[in-house]
Amino acid sequence: MDFYYRFPATGAVQLRTLSGDFDLADVHPPEGAVEITPTEYATDLAAIQLATELRRAAAVAEDAAQKLADYTAMTALGLPAATARRLTGYVPEVRPDFPDLPTVTADSVGPEVES
């Protein structure tokens, strides 16, 4: 049997699974927790996971920005780009080049209309 809890002081949630023979009267929430529904648990857990992912993405972006700033400063001082990349860990963004694609203009698309 599953029991769902929220810890209001921290916003954390917990799923407790009990099996075997037990008396429901003996099942109590952990200290500082309140029992919640499975839907509340799923909603809170999704919000916690999203917030965690957003914090991680922000940290990755901040790290990338710092590496670029350090790389730019080192190359501005005359350090070779390869050395600056190695020292900072900066990896330039690779953008694919498609030189063989035809150029599309407004005149080259759509049906021709005769007056």
Side-chain angles (χ1 to χ4, degrees):
M1 179 173 233
D2 291 336
F3 298 89
Y4 303 89
Y5 303 103
R6 178 186 303 119
F7 293 84
T10 63
V13 292
Q14 179 184 43
L15 165 63
R16 180 193 291 178
T17 302
L18 298 178
S19 59
D21 294 330
F22 59 91
D23 185 357
L24 282 176
D26 293 333
V27 178
H28 304 286
E31 186 175 331
V34 294
E35 193 165 358
I36 58 176
T37 67
T39 302
E40 291 173 314
Y41 172 82
T43 301
D44 288 358
L45 182 60
I48 290 167
Q49 290 170 332
L50 177 60
T52 300
E53 183 58 28
L54 290 173
R55 280 193 305 273
R56 187 202 64 77
V60 168
E62 184 179 325
D63 185 54
Q66 184 62 56
K67 287 178 180 181
L68 174 58
D70 292 346
Y71 169 82
T72 303
M74 288 181 178
T75 56
L77 292 172
L79 204 62
T83 303
R85 281 193 304 271
R86 189 171 52 254
L87 291 173
T88 62
Y90 172 69
V91 178
E93 183 179 339
V94 177
R95 295 181 182 222
D97 187 20
F98 302 108
D100 298 333
L101 294 179
T103 302
V104 177
T105 64
D107 295 332
S108 66
V109 294
E112 292 184 21
V113 178
E114 293 188 27
S115 312

